[in-house]
Amino acid sequence: MLQRWSAARSTLNHAYECERLARVLANAQRHLDPGLEKPRPDPRPQQQVARQWRRPHIYSPEEVSNILDIARAYPSPRAPLRPISLYTMLVLAYCAGLRLSELARLNLSDVDLQSGSITVRETKFFKSRILPLSDSAVAALREYLEARRRAKAPQNPDSGLFWHDQGGTRYSSQSIAWILVDILRRAGIKPPRGKIGPRIHDLRHSMVVNRILEWYRAGINPQERLPFLATYLGHRDIHSTLVYITVTQDLLQQASERFHRIGAHCLHVSEGVQP
């Protein structure tokens, strides 16, 4: 019956409803017969529905500049290191595309100012990677590390990079999420309440779109660089990276101009020759 119902419609939402019902029925069967093997859930229908209804927000340079300014001025009289900590978190989220959990797990030893890179260890898909950073991101890290030292934060290599001067420990991914979302609300980018509106994770989407735009402007074929981008983001393959490519008007314009320069001549037909 479930198979017939699943075949009745082909929408993403229907596939998600079928997957949910399959889990409920499987649990009911295991109550009747505990010896039955628990089926492995398929997360893809739910992920596809979420992507369909929650289109990523691609931050404009003005929006990014605004939230960085708000982070710098974040009111924190009892934790004076917090504003520059939030500023540096946002710089890494936007410039390096780091996930919130990756920000929370960074250690002091993961920063190499001499080579201008950070090491992200054992994150999603159990991968570690060394990420080269832009000069501006390295400058932000250098300023933060000096402020962190003046705040008398622990200097042992395995101490958390983002150290909370009031709690005396590293920020958790939950506390990072809460406080960065508060910055989005203060910037007027996200509504005062609820889960609707742009997310912090959308900075990662924005990083991908802006990197592809820069490749277009530099005359580089983005498709040739996708494997490198996938590695930088910590993805298993380029298929996961493709999810982050949100088509914007700027991206369409750059793609159109590239096609005009490289491929438009292929459409020209010699005079008197019918296509």
Side-chain angles (χ1 to χ4, degrees):
M1 289 174 63
L2 185 60
Q3 289 175 348
R4 288 197 297 270
W5 187 50
S6 178
R9 298 177 64 188
S10 59
T11 64
L12 294 177
N13 194 63
H14 183 68
Y16 172 48
E17 291 295 333
C18 291
E19 174 63 21
R20 289 180 59 191
L21 181 57
R23 296 182 193 182
V24 172
L25 292 176
N27 287 334
Q29 285 182 313
R30 292 187 73 246
H31 277 295
L32 296 174
D33 185 359
L36 290 175
E37 184 178 354
K38 185 176 181 179
R40 187 175 181 178
D42 183 4
R44 288 174 298 180
Q46 182 177 4
Q47 292 171 351
Q48 290 170 342
V49 168
R51 285 197 294 268
Q52 181 185 40
W53 294 107
R54 193 72 178 272
R55 182 178 175 84
H57 176 80
I58 305 304
Y59 289 88
S60 68
E62 294 76 18
E63 288 175 327
V64 173
S65 178
N66 188 25
I67 62 176
L68 288 175
D69 289 343
I70 290 174
R72 277 280 202 183
Y74 196 84
S76 184
R78 297 178 60 189
L81 186 63
R82 180 180 290 171
I84 194 171
S85 298
L86 301 179
Y87 173 86
T88 311
M89 291 175 191
L90 287 167
V91 167
L92 292 180
Y94 180 65
C95 295
L98 293 192
R99 306 176 179 97
L100 294 180
S101 59
E102 292 171 344
L103 288 171
R105 283 199 291 265
L106 284 174
N107 289 334
L108 194 60
S109 60
D110 293 330
V111 179
D112 187 343
L113 293 178
Q114 186 172 1
S115 66
S117 65
I118 55 173
T119 301
V120 184
R121 305 180 189 277
E122 294 295 321
T123 59
K124 195 174 182 181
F125 309 123
F126 307 103
K127 286 189 172 186
S128 297
R129 60 196 195 276
I130 299 175
L131 306 181
L133 299 173
S134 63
D135 292 341
S136 58
V138 173
L141 271 172
R142 181 176 286 109
E143 182 186 6
Y144 168 71
L145 289 175
E146 177 59 25
R148 187 182 183 280
R149 184 191 62 78
R150 292 197 303 268
K152 302 188 184 304
Q155 297 298 308
N156 50 305
D158 60 346
S159 63
L161 174 63
F162 293 111
W163 179 78
H164 196 305
D165 44 5
Q166 188 176 0
T169 185
R170 73 172 68 219
Y171 283 87
S172 67
S173 56
Q174 292 81 10
S175 61
I176 292 175
W178 183 89
I179 202 164
L180 293 187
V181 166
D182 186 51
I183 290 176
L184 295 185
R185 298 192 196 281
R186 289 171 180 264
I189 297 173
K190 192 176 182 69
R193 296 180 182 178
K195 295 183 178 181
I196 60 174
R199 303 162 297 177
I200 292 298
H201 191 71
D202 291 336
L203 288 169
R204 186 169 160 92
H205 288 263
S206 303
M207 175 265 190
V208 171
V209 170
N210 290 328
R211 172 44 46 201
I212 292 176
L213 277 172
E214 288 302 315
W215 282 335
Y216 271 127
R217 290 165 180 159
I220 298 171
N221 182 4
Q223 190 155 352
E224 296 175 354
R225 298 293 181 92
L226 282 179
F228 300 103
L229 185 56
T231 301
Y232 195 93
L233 292 170
H235 289 156
R236 289 176 293 185
D237 50 50
I238 65 170
H239 299 292
S240 299
T241 308
L242 292 175
V243 175
Y244 283 79
I245 302 177
T246 301
V247 179
T248 63
Q249 191 60 44
D250 286 341
L251 205 55
L252 281 173
Q253 180 66 26
Q254 291 295 327
S256 176
E257 291 178 3
R258 175 178 169 80
F259 173 76
H260 183 74
R261 290 193 305 269
I262 298 175
H265 68 278
C266 298
L267 298 180
H268 293 304
V269 180
S270 299
E271 185 176 353
V273 179
Q274 298 295 323

